[in-house]
């Protein structure tokens, strides 16, 4: 059974994950970068930039993503089935499914662009939960398991 403090932590982490999608999709770089620790790591496939280490590199690469997909909500990162495990008083890990929609004009019949699974590690800094690691295993249309997290997470 969870304590009230643990339930609050779980809800703050869920809000963190949803804020990531909202800030990315609405291209709010300052708010997006505020969700990460200074030494955070993002792991994507090579097509999405590989591994990004530290907040300066994360900021630069998200800015480049915004240039590739310009405009307000031209992409939409819908996340679902969020599972969170509190691993300590100030640490947690979690996973969730990604349905990534792309609303730029394309010749595809559907806006669904990517299906994947996020694997996150979180840390609470000064009472605020942040990402210290994000990785994404791509399941569709091309299957590319970035870190094999599904087997070891």
């Amino acid at each position: 059974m969870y304590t009230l403090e643990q339930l609050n932590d779980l809800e703050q982490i869920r809000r963190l994950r949803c804020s990531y999608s909202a800030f990315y999709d609405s291209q709010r770089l300052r708010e997006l970068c505020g969700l990460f620790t200074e030494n955070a790591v993002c792991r994507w496939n090579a097509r999405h930039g590989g591994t990004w280490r530290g907040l300066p590199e994360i900021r630069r690469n998200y800015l480049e993503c915004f240039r590739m997909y310009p405009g307000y909500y031209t992409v939409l990162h819908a996340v679902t089935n969020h599972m969170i495990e509190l691993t300590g008083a100030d640490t947690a890990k979690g996973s969730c499914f990604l349905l990534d929609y792309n609303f730029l004009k394309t010749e595809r019949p559907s806006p669904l662009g990517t299906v994947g699974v996020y694997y996150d590690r979180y840390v609470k800094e000064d009472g605020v939960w942040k990402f210290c690691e994000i990785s994404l295993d791509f399941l569709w249309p091309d299957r590319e398991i970035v870190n094999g997290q599904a087997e070891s997470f």
Side-chain angles (χ1 to χ4, degrees), residues 106-119:
T106 67
E107 298 194 18
R108 292 182 294 182
S110 168
L112 183 60
T114 301
V115 176
V117 181
Y118 279 116
Y119 294 95

Side-chain angles (χ1 to χ4, degrees), residues 16-124:
L16 172 70
R17 175 37 76 191
C18 291
S19 294
Y20 171 90
S21 293
F23 295 157
Y24 182 94
D25 297 342
S26 62
Q27 299 199 354
R28 294 163 56 187
L29 184 63
R30 183 177 48 80
E31 292 93 337
L32 177 63
C33 290
L35 303 177
F36 292 89
T37 63
E38 279 295 323
N39 61 347
V41 175
C42 297
R43 291 184 170 83
W44 318 114
N45 62 11
R47 189 169 59 100
H48 289 86
T51 299
W52 308 346
R53 296 183 188 282
L55 196 50
E57 184 175 6
I58 290 169
R59 183 178 288 110
R60 273 192 316 275
N61 286 321
Y62 278 125
L63 184 58
E64 184 59 31
C65 289
F66 293 170
R67 288 182 182 131
M68 290 182 345
Y69 301 101
Y72 180 74
Y73 283 96
T74 56
V75 294
L76 191 142
H77 292 74
V79 292
T80 185
N81 296 55
H82 198 183
M83 299 291 294
I84 304 165
E85 178 184 342
L86 299 172
T87 57
D90 296 327
T91 58
K93 64 182 182 177
S95 65
C96 61
F97 299 156
L98 167 67
L99 302 172
D100 184 23
Y101 296 92
N102 182 327
F103 300 110
L104 295 174
K105 292 183 180 180
T106 67
E107 298 194 18
R108 292 182 294 182
S110 168
L112 183 60
T114 301
V115 176
V117 181
Y118 279 116
Y119 294 95
D120 305 325
R121 295 201 183 272
Y122 318 100
V123 64
K124 192 190 309 185

